[in-house]
């Protein structure tokens, strides 16, 4: 799950090694004066067709040779944290304007941000103020919140810059369910800034398997019915649960290529017959096996 961070560290390490090798071999490195991009007019706005809310900004000195990567964000601010509504990588250019796609957001407090990533560290520039978004008579109405004293002091006219030297980690923000993967936020462990959300692959499937196994193990009935629109197989944990309850039949109501099917695993079924050497088995395969052995 930490590929991004690890990859970047590796890249930094490799770059370092190449630089050392170049020094050892006498190759001169022409030090490029990396001019940091400049971001101006960073704000939250109503899109020109009034279809949604955007974050937008202007910028300079952002070429593909600059070594920087910039991303524009629209954040919703809640009492328990900040949530990304939309994000967009800014296009390279000596000078340019960027905007996120118009998004139909709920009423609330918003801000715009730009992250500037130089490959080693990341900093975030925030819009000078927060914005109140309201929805009145079919139109978005935007008002600036009053600037706070310290924000005005920090402000250089190009947005407020976070003083945190961020350290990003993945934090779980939503538990997996049998139908939806868990969600992790890529968040600064020091100041709480979130710059991305990712789904945890296979976490929903893992919950489905765990809950299925527990239902079979703990049932008071003679038959357990498992219903799923999404999954098509069991793993060893489920087969062990079936083995531990030879008094229980398992009916699986599942969907395959748009059609609903029923698989009946009779009480006391031989699980060795059903699963493959890794402990997995698809419902279609089990159906064939059970039918063959009738
Ligand atoms: Zn931070």
């Amino acid at each position: 799950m930490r590929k991004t961070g690890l990859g970047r560290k590796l890249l930094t390490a490799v770059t370092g090694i190449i630089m050392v090798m170049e020094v050892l071999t006498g190759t001169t490195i022409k030090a490029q004066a990396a001019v940091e991009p400049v971001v101006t007019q960073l704000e939250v706005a109503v899109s020109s067709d009034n279809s949604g809310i955007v974050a937008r900004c202007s910028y300079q000195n952002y070429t593909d040779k600059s070594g920087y990567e910039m991303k524009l964000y629209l954040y919703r601010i809640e009492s328990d944290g900040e949530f990304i509504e939309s994000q967009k990588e800014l296009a390279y250019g000596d000078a340019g304007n960027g905007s996120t796609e118009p998004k139909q957001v709920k009423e609330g407090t918003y801000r715009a941000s730009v992250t500037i990533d130089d490959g080693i560290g990341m900093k975030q520039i925030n819009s000078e103020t927060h914005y109140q978004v309201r929805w009145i008579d079919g139109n978005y109405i935007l008002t600036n919140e009053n600037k706070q004293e310290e924000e005005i002091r920090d402000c250089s006219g190009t947005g407020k810059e976070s003083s945190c030297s961020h350290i990003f980690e993945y934090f779980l923000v939503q538990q997996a369910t049998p139908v939806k993967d868990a969600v992790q936020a890529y968040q600064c462990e020091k100041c709480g800034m979130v710059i991305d959300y990712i789904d945890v692959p296979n976490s929903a499937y893992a919950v489905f398997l765990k809950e299925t196994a527990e239902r079979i193990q703990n049932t008071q009935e003679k038959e357990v019915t498992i219903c799923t629109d999404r999954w098509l197989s069991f793993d060893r944990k489920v087969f062990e649960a079936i083995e531990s309850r030879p008094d229980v039949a398992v009916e699986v109501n599942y969907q395959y290529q748009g059609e609903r099917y029923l698989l009946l695993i009779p009480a006391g079924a031989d699980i060795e017959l059903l699963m493959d050497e890794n402990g997995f088995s698809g419902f279609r395969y089990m159906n064939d096996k059970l039918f063959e052995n009738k």
Side-chain angles (χ1 to χ4, degrees):
M1 287 329 303
R2 299 181 183 182
K3 266 187 193 146
T4 315
L6 183 62
R8 184 154 291 165
K9 273 174 203 156
L10 281 174
L11 187 65
T12 308
V14 168
T15 311
I17 290 164
I18 290 169
M19 284 170 71
V20 168
M21 282 171 63
E22 281 177 337
V23 169
L24 290 176
T25 57
T27 322
T28 51
I29 312 156
K30 200 173 162 191
Q32 251 190 352
V35 182
E36 192 174 303
V38 176
V39 176
T40 55
Q41 290 167 303
L42 177 59
E43 61 184 7
V44 175
V46 181
S47 65
S48 51
D49 60 358
N50 201 32
S51 66
I53 298 296
V54 300
R56 66 186 183 194
C57 70
S58 299
Y59 53 89
Q60 290 168 346
N61 305 336
Y62 182 46
T63 67
D64 56 357
K65 299 195 176 55
S66 67
Y68 290 95
E69 281 180 24
M70 293 208 294
K71 231 172 175 184
L72 176 63
Y73 292 88
L74 176 67
Y75 282 90
R76 185 179 79 252
I77 299 169
E78 304 266 348
S79 56
D80 60 340
E82 303 194 344
F83 302 89
I84 297 168
E85 285 285 356
S86 48
Q87 55 179 288
K88 186 172 190 182
E89 285 176 22
L90 291 171
Y92 289 118
D94 288 329
N97 299 301
S99 171
T100 57
E101 295 299 318
K103 176 140 190 224
Q104 294 181 359
V105 298
K106 61 180 183 181
E107 292 188 321
T109 307
Y110 291 82
R111 70 174 168 87
S113 290
V114 170
T115 53
I116 303 179
D117 185 350
D118 64 6
I120 298 165
M122 181 173 318
K123 72 174 184 180
Q124 187 173 50
I125 299 171
N126 299 324
S127 52
E128 284 178 37
T129 64
H130 291 171
Y131 295 78
Q132 284 296 333
V133 172
R134 282 178 298 157
W135 176 255
I136 299 170
D137 297 333
N139 288 304
Y140 282 111
I141 306 293
L142 208 60
T143 46
N144 280 15
E145 278 194 354
N146 289 335
K147 297 179 190 181
Q148 288 167 8
E149 289 290 323
E150 67 265 51
E151 281 191 335
I152 293 171
R153 271 205 299 279
D154 285 347
C155 165
S156 59
T158 58
K160 184 171 150 284
E161 193 175 302
S162 162
S163 57
C164 179
S165 52
H166 306 294
I167 299 173
F168 289 98
E169 277 290 342
Y170 288 99
F171 294 94
L172 188 69
V173 290
Q174 203 176 304
Q175 297 279 357
T177 71
V179 293
K180 191 163 181 329
D181 281 333
V183 179
Q184 286 182 319
Y186 194 46
Q187 185 171 28
C188 175
E189 64 181 30
K190 290 157 76 183
C191 71
M193 179 177 98
V194 175
I195 57 164
D196 210 354
Y197 296 106
I198 55 155
D199 288 347
V200 181
N202 292 322
S203 52
Y205 182 52
V207 171
F208 166 72
L209 296 171
K210 182 168 177 284
E211 289 189 357
T212 299
E214 285 171 358
R215 276 194 56 201
I216 295 167
Q217 265 156 5
N218 301 330
T219 186
Q220 311 286 327
E221 311 289 326
K222 289 277 157 227
E223 183 174 302
V224 171
T225 301
I226 306 296
C227 258
T228 175
D229 289 340
R230 185 165 172 186
W231 308 116
L232 290 168
S233 59
F234 285 158
D235 74 345
R236 188 183 300 277
K237 247 197 286 343
V238 178
F239 287 116
E240 283 170 359
I242 291 171
E243 192 177 35
S244 76
R245 291 296 302 267
D247 56 321
V248 174
V250 178
E251 186 181 71
V252 187
N253 184 330
Y254 65 100
Q255 188 169 307
Y256 176 69
Q257 294 184 343
E259 303 277 331
R260 290 222 75 89
Y261 290 87
L262 272 184
L263 166 70
L264 184 69
I265 304 171
D270 178 7
I271 62 160
E272 295 302 330
L273 181 78
L274 297 179
M275 53 181 192
D276 70 11
E277 67 272 24
N278 298 311
F280 279 94
S281 187
F283 302 151
R284 307 295 296 158
Y285 176 82
M286 278 188 255
N287 195 70
D288 292 347
K289 282 284 165 190
L290 288 164
F291 191 74
E292 276 172 24
N293 283 276
K294 260 192 181 163

